Amino acid sequence: MAAWRALLREAWERSVVFTQFICFLNVFSNHVAEVHQCLGPSMLPTFNVSGDILLLEHLSSKFEKVRPGDVVMARSPVNPNLVVCKRVLGLEGDRVTVLPTSSRGHIKQVVVPKGHVWLQGDNAYNSTDSRHYGPIPYALIQGKVFYRIWPPEGWGPVQNQQP
Amino acid sequence: MMAAAWRALVREAWERSVVFTQFICFLNVFSNHVAEVHQCLGPSMLPTFNVSGDILLLEHVSSKFEKVRPGDVVMARSPVNPNLVVCKRVLGLEGDCVTVLPTSSRGHVKQVVVPKGHVWLQGDNAYNSTDSRHYGPVPYALIQGKVFYRIWPPEGWGPVLNQQP
């Protein structure tokens, strides 16, 4: 009986430590930095189709330090469960030059409204972005992508890139 | 002697700050994922909420599991100001056809179909509320949580009800 009680107490103490660790990890992921995967062809050649693993930091977006040319992850305005990975073309008030969605389209100029950003994938001809769903509210941005950790040959910082 | 007393003090201070940090972490996780307290200011939700600011309980579970329904009061980040959290009622979800009240007594009633992934927000005080009639339908992901209880002022203590227009 005493052995059971000792076992239970040890199990309880270990789960408390585990829960505290998970709590801390959760707070860190939400407010500082986290790991995320970016799938799909929309950010070629910057990121691979099969999915690169990226480091995302939340400080820039919380302190409004996101700049045009940064790669960000944001919640999609048409699907709240989807997180998309695109480059910021312009902030509120900027005039952005929008590439056509197909080789037959025309280049357009758009002024980004207040509180919004314009997103565009690096692979302009195969990317669903602001050209399809319009400028997105700044608050949908989850964080700025600053480093790539997979694949190993792609290890390194993710650069700001002006179009 | 002195050094030992200092060391004991520093160790106790460290242990207490560790416990404090763990508590703050837990509170933060709870606030983000379960429920939190928030204040709602302004005239846009009269007569449901007061102008001077009611203190409300907000739960995150409904919005994360897509259980928000038309008629619920939600708090959402404003699409025109990312630092502002607004408190409005959901008039319609994606695909719903909502009847939109005019913004002034001279305007007309309109019908709008809410696009995919968005919701239509409207304050209960339709003539003095900046909402989807001004900034359009709001992406669902901007919703922070559903308001379910009011805890201040004391005479207003009680659940916040779903209300169809």
Side-chain angles (χ1 to χ4, degrees), chain B residues 2 12 25 33 38 41 47-48 61 75 84 91 94 127 158 160:
Chain B
M2 275 297 289
E12 182 165 347
C25 269
H33 296 280
H38 217 280
L41 287 161
T48 313
V61 179
M75 288 208 173
L84 185 67
L91 217 58
E94 64 183 14
Y127 290 132
V160 173

Side-chain angles (χ1 to χ4, degrees), chain A residues 26 30-31 64 77 81 115-116, chain B residues 28 32-33 66 79 83 117-118:
Chain A
N26 189 283
N30 277 350
H31 297 278
E64 299 192 25
N81 298 319
H116 288 67
Chain B
N28 188 283
N32 277 349
H33 296 280
E66 298 192 28
N83 298 319
H118 288 69

Side-chain angles (χ1 to χ4, degrees), chain B residues 16-93:
Chain B
R16 286 191 184 207
S17 9
V18 166
V19 174
F20 182 69
T21 311
Q22 289 165 348
F23 176 66
I24 295 294
C25 269
F26 172 75
L27 217 66
N28 188 283
V29 171
F30 191 83
S31 292
N32 277 349
H33 296 280
V34 183
E36 63 175 312
V37 181
H38 217 280
Q39 193 181 26
C40 175
L41 287 161
S44 64
M45 285 295 290
L46 287 167
T48 313
F49 300 141
N50 302 306
V51 180
S52 46
D54 290 357
I55 300 181
L56 308 167
L57 294 183
L58 186 68
E59 52 92 350
H60 298 280
V61 179
S62 293
S63 48
K64 283 205 198 325
F65 289 103
E66 298 192 28
K67 295 254 179 292
V68 173
R69 293 281 159 264
D72 286 344
V73 178
V74 297
M75 288 208 173
R77 290 229 166 250
S78 164
V80 294
N81 183 351
N83 298 319
L84 185 67
V85 175
V86 297
C87 179
K88 307 286 173 198
R89 204 175 288 271
V90 174
L91 217 58
L93 303 173

Side-chain angles (χ1 to χ4, degrees), chain A residues 46-115:
Chain A
T46 314
F47 299 142
N48 302 305
V49 180
S50 45
D52 289 357
I53 300 183
L54 308 167
L55 294 183
L56 186 67
E57 53 92 352
H58 297 281
L59 301 173
S60 294
S61 46
K62 283 209 198 320
F63 291 105
E64 299 192 25
K65 296 255 178 294
V66 174
R67 292 282 159 263
D70 287 344
V71 178
V72 298
M73 289 208 173
R75 291 228 166 250
S76 165
V78 295
N79 182 352
N81 298 319
L82 186 66
V83 174
V84 297
C85 180
K86 307 285 173 200
R87 206 175 286 272
V88 174
L89 217 59
L91 304 174
E92 64 184 12
D94 291 348
R95 180 179 293 272
V96 294
T97 307
V98 174
L99 294 175
T101 48
S102 72
S103 45
R104 277 182 307 273
H106 300 282
I107 290 184
K108 285 198 292 280
Q109 292 249 317
V110 175
V111 175
V112 183
K114 186 177 185 314

